[in-house]
C-alpha cells in the first residue's frame, strides 16, 4: 500500500477545456511509484464528498520530487479538484495498485490508449524507451479532446498514431484498427492498453485470438481504493477458475487473457 501525504500543488494547467494537468511535490510517492499505478485523491478539505477519487499517475519525476496527474472534470469530485489553487496542499494516497508488469526489454511493443486512458501510458512509454521499438496509438472522440500528443512524440517513438472517431484531427477511425494493421506487418511482443471498456474488450479479444501477450488497465468505479470495500471487484480467470479480484489492490493492470468482462 502507498503512503498518505499532503502534497503541495506546484503547477496547474487546463490543457484543453475541462482537462487539467497537476504537478505536485510528492517525494515519497515519486520514489515508490511504478508505471500504471494510481493515486486516491481527497478532493476537498471538508470531508464531502467522503470518497477519494482515483486518478492515474501520468509522470514521475524523481529528480524534482514531483508527480503529475491529468484528469477530466466528470462530476462533483473532479469539479472540486479542479478548483484547488496553486500552493495549496492536496491529501493524496499512493502509489496504489500493482501497476504494469514486465517493463523490460522487448523487440516491438504496441501501446494503445483511448481518451483519459492515455494518461497512465505516458510514464510506461518513457520507461520502455530504449528497451523496445515503440508504436503508440492514441485515440480520441474528436479534436477538442486531443491531449499529450507532443509529450508522447518527444519521448522518441518508432511510430505515433493519433486518431479521432470523427476524423476532426489526424487519422479518422479507431486506434485499434491502425494498431492491427501495423501488427499484421510487424509482430509485437506485448500490447499495453488503457481506455474505455468497449476498446479494452476489442483489444483483449484481438490479443487472445492472435496469441499476443497483452496487459490492460481497468478503470472500475472505486470506493476505498485499498482492497477493503469490494467496490471494484472484477471477474478474473485464474487457473481455469473464475475468481473475483480487486481492481484497486490486484490491478488496475491485468493480463488480457485473465479478464472476464
Ligand atoms: C484506477 C483508475 C484510474 C483513473 N485514472 C484517471 C485519470 O488519469 N484521469 C481521469 O480523468 N480519470 C481517471 N479515472 C476516472 C476518475 O476516477 C473518475 O472520472 C472520477 O472518479 C469521477 O469522479 P467525480 O466525482 O468527478 O464524478 P462522479 O460524480 O463520481 O461521476 C460522474 C460521471 O463519471 C462516471 N464515472 C465515475 N467514475 C468512473 C470510472 N472510474 N470510470 C468510468 N466512469 C466513471 C460516473 O458514472 C458518472 O457518469 C480513473 C479511474 C480509476 C478507477
Ligand atoms: S475500491 Fe474498495 S476494494 Fe477496491
Amino acid at each position: 500500500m502507498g503512503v498518505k501525504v499532503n502534497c503541495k500543488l506546484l503547477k496547474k494547467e487546463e490543457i484543453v477545456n475541462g482537462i487539467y494537468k497537476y504537478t505536485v511535490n510528492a517525494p515519497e510517492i515519486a520514489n515508490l511509484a511504478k508505471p500504471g499505478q494510481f493515486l486516491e485523491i481527497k478532493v476537498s478539505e471538508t470531508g464531502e464528498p467522503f470518497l477519494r477519487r482515483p486518478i492515474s499517475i501520468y509522470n514521475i519525476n524523481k529528480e524534482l520530487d514531483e508527480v503529475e496527474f491529468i484528469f477530466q472534470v466528470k462530476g462533483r469530485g473532479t469539479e472540486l479538484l479542479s478548483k484547488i489553487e496553486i500552493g495549496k496542499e492536496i491529501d493524496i494516497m499512493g502509489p496504489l495498485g500493482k501497476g504494469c508488469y514486465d517493463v523490460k526489454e522487448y523487440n516491438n511493443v504496441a501501446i494503445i490508449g483511448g481518451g483519459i486512458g492515455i494518461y497512465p501510458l505516458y510514464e510506461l512509454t518513457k520507461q520502455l524507451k530504449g528497451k523496445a521499438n515503440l508504436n503508440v496509438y492514441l485515440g480520441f472522440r474528436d479534436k477538442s479532446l486531443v491531449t499529450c500528443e507532443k509529450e508522447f512524440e518527444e519521448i522518441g517513438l518508432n511510430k505515433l498514431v493519433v486518431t479521432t472517431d470523427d476524423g476532426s484531427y489526424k487519422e479518422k477511425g479507431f486506434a485499434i484498427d491502425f494498431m492491427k494493421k501495423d501488427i499484421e506487418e510487424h509482430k509485437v511482443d506485448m500490447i499495453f492498453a488503457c481506455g474505455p471498456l468497449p476498446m479494452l474488450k476489442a483489444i483483449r479479444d484481438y490479443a487472445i485470438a492472435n496469441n499476443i501477450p497483452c496487459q490492460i488497465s481497468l478503470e472500475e468505479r472505486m470506493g476505498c481504493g485499498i482492497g477493503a470495500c469490494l467496490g471494484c471487484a472484477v471477474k478474473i480467470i485464474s487457473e481455469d477458475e473464475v475468481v473475483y479480484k480487486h481492481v484497486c489492490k490486484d490491478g488496475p493492470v491485468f493480463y488480457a487473457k485473465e479478464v472476464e468482462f
Side-chain angles (χ1 to χ4, degrees):
M1 202 168 86
V3 292
K4 180 178 164 312
V5 271
N6 287 326
C7 307
K8 188 169 175 181
L9 178 58
L10 302 172
K11 278 184 245 156
K12 163 178 182 171
E13 188 191 348
E14 188 170 10
I15 50 177
V16 299
N17 193 18
I19 301 187
Y20 293 81
K21 177 158 139 185
Y22 277 18
T23 308
V24 293
N25 176 254
E28 300 93 334
I29 296 176
N31 246 318
L32 295 167
K34 290 194 330 183
Q37 289 189 302
F38 67 98
L39 310 167
E40 276 274 81
I41 302 178
K42 200 166 166 211
V43 293
S44 84
E45 287 173 0
T46 64
E48 204 330 276
F50 174 67
L51 293 176
R52 291 166 183 267
R53 296 297 190 262
I55 301 290
S56 306
I57 293 172
Y58 164 73
N59 188 28
I60 305 164
N61 191 332
K62 282 190 191 177
E63 286 79 48
L64 295 179
D65 290 339
E66 291 173 3
V67 169
E68 292 186 307
F69 55 91
I70 300 182
F71 64 95
Q72 182 172 35
V73 173
K74 280 273 177 74
R76 183 161 154 67
T78 42
E79 173 76 38
L80 284 167
L81 184 60
S82 75
K83 302 281 186 246
I84 297 176
E85 289 161 14
I86 290 178
K88 294 272 184 204
E89 295 210 320
I90 309 178
D91 179 339
I92 298 181
M93 249 165 58
L96 299 175
K98 294 197 168 145
C100 299
Y101 304 97
D102 302 331
V103 181
K104 58 175 195 188
E105 306 254 336
Y106 293 97
N107 290 318
N108 301 306
V109 164
I111 296 173
I112 176 164
I116 58 169
I118 72 165
Y119 304 133
L121 300 175
Y122 178 71
E123 180 62 35
L124 170 74
T125 309
K126 266 179 36 194
Q127 293 200 18
L128 282 173
K129 169 76 186 159
K131 295 195 170 90
N133 281 322
L134 300 170
N135 282 4
V136 174
Y137 306 84
L138 306 178
F140 303 92
R141 211 170 52 219
D142 60 47
K143 188 179 178 181
S144 71
L145 295 168
V146 176
T147 54
C148 302
E149 179 186 5
K150 193 167 137 271
E151 287 78 357
F152 274 93
E153 214 163 59
E154 283 172 359
I155 294 174
L157 307 169
N158 185 50
K159 183 169 191 176
L160 174 64
V161 179
V162 176
T163 67
T164 47
D165 300 355
D166 63 358
S168 52
Y169 186 73
K170 296 278 172 90
E171 305 289 349
K172 180 177 179 174
F174 295 133
I176 183 176
D177 294 325
F178 291 85
M179 180 186 79
K180 283 181 187 171
K181 209 163 141 257
D182 288 342
I183 292 178
E184 274 167 29
E185 284 165 29
H186 295 284
K187 226 169 121 264
V188 295
D189 316 295
M190 181 64 83
I191 300 172
F192 291 94
C194 184
L197 217 52
M199 178 187 188
L200 292 185
K201 282 182 183 164
I203 293 168
R204 182 204 55 172
D205 293 348
Y206 171 75
I208 291 174
N210 291 278
N211 209 13
I212 303 170
C214 173
Q215 298 178 43
I216 57 179
S217 183
L218 301 177
E219 293 195 348
E220 261 327 289
R221 295 218 66 173
M222 282 187 186
C224 66
I226 52 167
C229 76
L230 303 178
C232 64
V234 281
K235 281 186 191 169
I236 295 293
I237 304 160
S238 173
E239 292 167 9
D240 289 337
E241 261 186 67
V242 176
V243 295
Y244 282 92
K245 290 208 175 178
H246 297 117
V247 172
C248 64
K249 187 166 63 82
D250 305 312
V253 182
F254 294 95
Y255 287 106
K257 61 177 191 227
E258 296 176 333
V259 180
E260 172 95 356
F261 284 111

